[in-house]
Amino acid sequence: MKTLVELSPEQHKHLNVVPNSGAKHVAQQNLINLRVTEVAKAACCMPIFFVRDNHSGNWVLTGFTSFVQGQNLLVRDDQWRALYTPTALQTHPFYLMQSPKDPQQYTIGLDPESSALTTEPGETMFDEHGKASLYLSNIKTLIETDLNNDMLTHKFSQKVVDLGLLKAVNIAVNHQHNASQSLNGLFTINEEKLQQLPSDSLKELSKLGYLSPLYAMLTSLYQLNALIQYHNQVADNNSITHIKLEASKV
């Protein structure tokens, strides 16, 4: 578990951030956390699902980036290749943390042991006067905005659950030489139930701005076809012939 320390010019002015550190950080992650405010933009690049957080039990919006754990098909040569870059990548290696001076306040923290930090040339955090660089100022703005987006995502997730719109699915993956695998633990939107909602519920969803991300999640499933192509470009005698999205009994 990371031990975060508060970012300060006194302690960290000699450190820089390794370029493309966000992409390097997620290079071995086949799921990337998203906020509801990102869904419409991310849907053009990756399939989007809900998953359960194993520790908190909360519902988490995630971008699906590979059929193989420990792999991210959207990162190549330490570069993020998709059109949209999730906030989680843009803000790495910084995090929002409880202020050590005031538990009621939040501040920007980092993991001092992170490989994203270096004394070599990179993204500068502070100038010679200890003032935040433009790079760091932009990061702070993103993180502060993300706090509000996190709350919006929680409300969105709760509404989806309350309306019974989640549908558990498995991805049945068939490889050449008749090898197969099944990926589970993924939840998408039940389109049939969404269409059958009473008019007052649909009006409420529209007023809350939830219809757009709901339909974007459904549309994003077509990106599974793109992932098959990416997989087959790098697969070593393990090409995918086809996949099938199946309803799960979970």
Side-chain angles (χ1 to χ4, degrees), residues 53-68:
D53 184 285
N54 290 330
H55 299 290
S56 67
N58 293 331
W59 291 103
V60 180
L61 276 170
T62 59
F64 183 84
T65 65
S66 178
F67 302 98
V68 179

Side-chain angles (χ1 to χ4, degrees), residues 173-202:
V173 184
N174 290 279
H175 299 268
Q176 66 183 67
H177 310 307
N178 297 319
S180 61
Q181 70 181 120
S182 181
L183 306 177
N184 50 42
L186 303 171
F187 294 77
T188 187
I189 302 303
N190 190 319
E191 185 174 10
E192 184 178 355
K193 284 190 175 181
L194 177 60
Q195 293 176 342
Q196 292 175 352
L197 286 177
S199 59
D200 57 338
S201 294
L202 287 171

Side-chain angles (χ1 to χ4, degrees), residues 25-38:
H25 177 63
V26 301
Q28 296 181 332
Q29 297 180 18
N30 72 325
L31 294 175
I32 298 177
N33 285 3
L34 297 171
R35 304 302 188 209
V36 64
T37 49
E38 300 181 276

Side-chain angles (χ1 to χ4, degrees), residues 6-23:
E6 184 177 15
L7 179 66
S8 74
E10 293 78 21
Q11 294 184 47
H12 306 117
K13 62 183 178 182
H14 64 291
L15 294 176
N16 297 316
V17 177
V18 175
N20 302 315
S21 61

Side-chain angles (χ1 to χ4, degrees), residues 43-47 64-67 73-74 76 220-233 240 243:
C44 70
C45 311
M46 64 194 84
F64 183 84
T65 65
S66 178
F67 302 98
L73 293 168
L74 301 183
R76 296 189 186 180
S220 77
L221 298 180
Y222 290 105
Q223 297 303 326
L224 287 166
N225 296 318
L227 285 183
I228 293 174
Q229 293 182 336
Y230 297 155
H231 175 94
N232 291 344
Q233 288 171 6
I240 294 174
I243 66 170

